[in-house]
Structure formats: C-alpha cells, structure tokens
Amino acid sequence: MMTSADIRQAFLDFFRSKGHEIVPSAPIVVKNDPTLMFTNAGMNQFKDYFLGNKPAPFKRVADTQKCLRVSGKHNDLEEVGVDTYHHTMFEMLGNWSFGDYFKDEAIEWSWELLTVVYNIPKDRLYATVFEGDVKEGIPASSIALAKWKSLLPDEHIVFGNKKDNFWEMGETGPCGPCSEIHVDCRPDEERKKIPGHTLVNKDHPQVIEIWNNVFIQFNRKKDGSLEPLPATHVDTGMGLERLVRVLQGKTSNYDTDIFTGTIAETEKITGKNMTSAIARQL
Ligand code: GLY
C-alpha cells in the first residue's frame, strides 16, 4: 500500500516528468491581497500571473499547498466533523499552466496519473463538465466534453451548473469553468444497484470529488461582470487526504495514515478512545 508520503511524491514526480517546476506551498495566511484572509486554494499565490499583472517565472508549476476553508466563498466549516471527507485545513495537490497547455493536456494528464500511476479502476471514475450559463453568457465546455468522451463512456460524464462547475477564488479575481473528477468507492453490489453517475455531487459519503481541473479564462470584477483574460490558464486542485483515502481503500479520511498516528498519540495522552468518539460523531 502506498503511504501518504509516497502518494504526494508520486504526484510531484509525475508533473515534474511533464515539464513542471515544483514550487513550495505559500503561507496559509495570505499576504498582500485584501480580498482573501487565508489561502483557500493552491492557485491563490499565482493570482497575479493569471491576471497578467506579473510575468510567471515558469510556464508550468506543481506543488502541494496547505489550505484553510473556514470562511468566505469556500467555507467547509459546517461539514467538518459531520462527514468523513471535509477538513478545515487540508493539503491540495495542484498543477498549473500559465498561458501554456490548456484543457486537453490537463484532462489527459489527470486521467493518466489517476489510472496509470495510481491505478484507480477506470470504471469507478466520473467527470463533470460545465453545462454553460446563459446569464453569464458562457457556453457549455465543448473541449472538455470532447476530451472526456475520448476517455470515458457517456454515462460517466455528468453536466454541472455554475454552482459546481464554475470555480471562483473569491468575490473577485481569476475564475473559469471547471471539470471535476469523482470516485465511486462503494462496494460492487451497491454500484450494480444504483449507477454512480446519479450520486455525483449529491453528498454521498462514498462517491466523492477528488480533483478539480479549472480553466481560468476570466477575471470577476467588483461590479460582478466577467472580463476575459488576455491568456488562458490551468489551475487544478486535488485533495491529498481524499486521494489517500481512496488509494488506501478506507471509507473515511480519518482512517488513513495522515490521521491515524495523531489519533493514536492523542488517545495515549488523553486516555480516551478517539476512534469511537469520531465514529459516534459521524
Ligand atoms: N482552484 C481549484 C480548486 O480549488 O478547486
């Protein structure tokens, strides 16, 4: 079984082999950006490159970013301690293209990493594609759809609206349509009874999103309008804790080696059985 350290390293090694520079995580408290207090995604530190305010030193980068989602546009606080796969602080694996490769390569590589490097069975994977939004004047994502159709059967592709398939960093800033990858971790018997595509983005604890491929094309302005950016970019985010849980065959993120050591140590110090406390709460 791969450890969480192996899984993290395999991600970085894969994207290094695709010409990405590996860069450090940014601090979790955001500096020099009054629109955001805490880092909520790997892309925050690259905002100026997306907006064209600064030239990017590398066209392709990858990293693992410490994120905190406790306030603002991306706030998971209500889910934490209630389900098995949301956290206040978590680690986000990401790869970025600054005006370089776009949808085809991003999707192709995410598929290769998940199915060849990590060996996740293809029939457990589902992709979502932005269905477009008339009010925003954005069409459906035909390039992402065509790419996914070359990799997955139609019943594994799910269309999503602006809520799930248009990613924005905050009230303002870089944004664009996205394509998520979900894994169906249910036992085969259950999968036969209820098709996985009906459970995508339905809060099922065993059918979970693991990776979001965002295609940054716009800047959301203060007045709410969308301004097309001079170049198009890729911004992806994969939750390390969720990926590890899938690859270690667990039904809860808390049962992976990311958490079990801390839980065991806490039990030793407090003399309390944390596992049953967590189970009771969940
Ligand atoms: N920036 C992509 C994500 O956080 O989902």
Side-chain angles (χ1 to χ4, degrees), residues 22 28 62 64 81 171 173 177 180 210 248 270 278 282:
I22 309 304
I28 211 158
T64 173
E171 294 315 316
E180 307 158 327
I210 53 164
Q248 294 185 350
T270 62
I278 291 169
L282 297 175

Side-chain angles (χ1 to χ4, degrees), residues 40-43 69 74 92 96 167 209 212 214 235-237:
N40 66 14
M43 56 78 71
R69 290 195 172 179
H74 300 280
M92 186 182 275
W96 287 272
W167 199 84
E209 179 193 344
N212 194 11
V214 184
D235 153 30
T236 88

